[in-house]
Amino acid sequence: MTITITAFAQSPDRGRGLARDTPVRWALEEAGLAYDVRLETFAQLKQPPHLAVHPFGQIPTYEEDGLALFESGAIVLHIAQKHGGGLLPDDPQARARAIAWMFAAVATVQAPIVEREGAVLTERDQPYHAQRMPMLDGRVTSRLTQLSDSLGDKAWLDGAFSAADILMVNVLRRLGTSGLLNAYPSLQAYIDRGEARPAFQRAYAAQKAVFENLPKG
Ligand SMILES: N[C@@H](CCC(=O)N[C@@H](CS)C(=O)NCC(=O)O)C(=O)O
């Protein structure tokens, strides 16, 4: 069995682990699985060979024994279901709840974060930008407040560490430079706990090495 994932040949995040190959690498590391990485340029992502694997021309993808998958959440779920690694609870109800949290991470929590990110990256020069930001910040902080209330003083979202925490920590990491997490020390501590896991450290180092090995100049 060979697992191959795709990642950016030159990630715009400059090795900060914000591209969505990081949660996939992290899940693979938690499950103790070796994997190959095929690096793709932005141009290659939009060419037929990659579009055959990813209809939207993005990273990450996952190939294994003739199976080709896209969507980081679905890939992490597949790894957790097929390869175990303690990424999903055995108890059926606890497993269903963990999967619900996986969807919550990539949909409910991620959506306002990505919308805000888009405004910061692409709308700074627009006359409406200053007026729009407080609304976008408010949508994010509303989710952070709800998430923080739900997390309470628990270490992880629902019992033991699971694939849901991989996805949620990765989504929250996107807020790194926004300052919005400052008001949520328990969420910052939750991110720190995730980042302290050896499997995260290996995944982070692997994606960072791609950036560091780029030709200089
Ligand atoms: N919902 C998708 C989002 C994938 C996505 O946005 N990938 C970005 C990198 S993190 C990408 O490939 N961007 C390049 C592009 O869209 O052209 C997932 O979670 O896998």
Side-chain angles (χ1 to χ4, degrees):
M1 173 201 67
T2 305
I3 293 171
T4 303
I5 68 167
T6 51
F8 282 134
Q10 189 158 358
S11 180
D13 77 353
R14 304 175 61 82
R16 286 183 297 144
L18 300 178
R20 292 175 180 86
D21 56 305
T22 295
V24 171
R25 291 174 187 269
W26 185 1
L28 288 164
E29 292 288 352
E30 293 281 355
L33 297 167
Y35 61 98
D36 292 337
V37 184
R38 190 168 65 245
L39 299 177
E40 306 274 11
T41 64
F42 274 91
Q44 285 168 334
L45 291 181
K46 310 304 174 198
Q47 297 301 313
H50 187 74
L51 290 170
V53 185
H54 197 310
F56 306 113
Q58 297 182 311
I59 62 102
T61 58
Y62 176 99
E63 290 155 71
E64 175 193 19
D65 295 339
L67 169 71
L69 284 177
F70 60 98
E71 283 296 331
S72 57
I75 295 169
V76 171
L77 179 57
H78 169 77
I79 294 166
Q81 285 178 324
K82 177 161 185 205
H83 297 288
L87 288 177
L88 281 175
D90 291 331
D91 171 72
Q93 291 202 358
R95 177 174 283 240
R97 285 198 307 273
I99 293 172
W101 272 116
M102 294 178 77
F103 279 77
V106 296
T108 309
V109 178
Q110 179 167 239
I113 292 176
V114 168
E115 192 185 7
R116 179 188 180 280
E117 216 171 70
V120 171
L121 289 173
T122 64
E123 295 176 7
R124 273 186 187 283
D125 299 338
Q126 299 298 327
Y128 53 78
H129 181 73
Q131 231 177 338
R132 190 163 137 77
M133 278 315 289
M135 179 191 72
L136 295 177
D137 283 353
R139 285 184 188 161
V140 173
T141 53
S142 149
R143 285 289 178 258
L144 295 181
T145 300
Q146 292 162 325
L147 181 62
S148 167
D149 288 348
S150 173
L151 186 66
D153 58 6
K154 299 194 298 280
W156 306 113
L157 289 170
D158 192 327
F161 175 83
S162 80
D165 297 296
I166 291 182
L167 294 178
M168 191 66 85
V169 167
N170 273 278
V171 164
L172 295 176
R173 289 186 77 249
R174 302 188 78 90
L175 290 169
T177 54
S178 70
L180 295 183
L181 282 166
N182 294 346
Y184 300 92
S186 69
L187 292 183
Q188 187 57 59
Y190 171 65
I191 298 170
D192 294 346
R193 271 194 297 283
E195 290 182 343
R197 291 181 73 87
F200 174 87
Q201 302 271 321
R202 291 193 294 274
Y204 183 86
Q207 65 76 38
K208 187 157 194 212
V210 176
F211 176 73
E212 284 175 346
N213 291 334
L214 283 172
K216 303 283 179 274

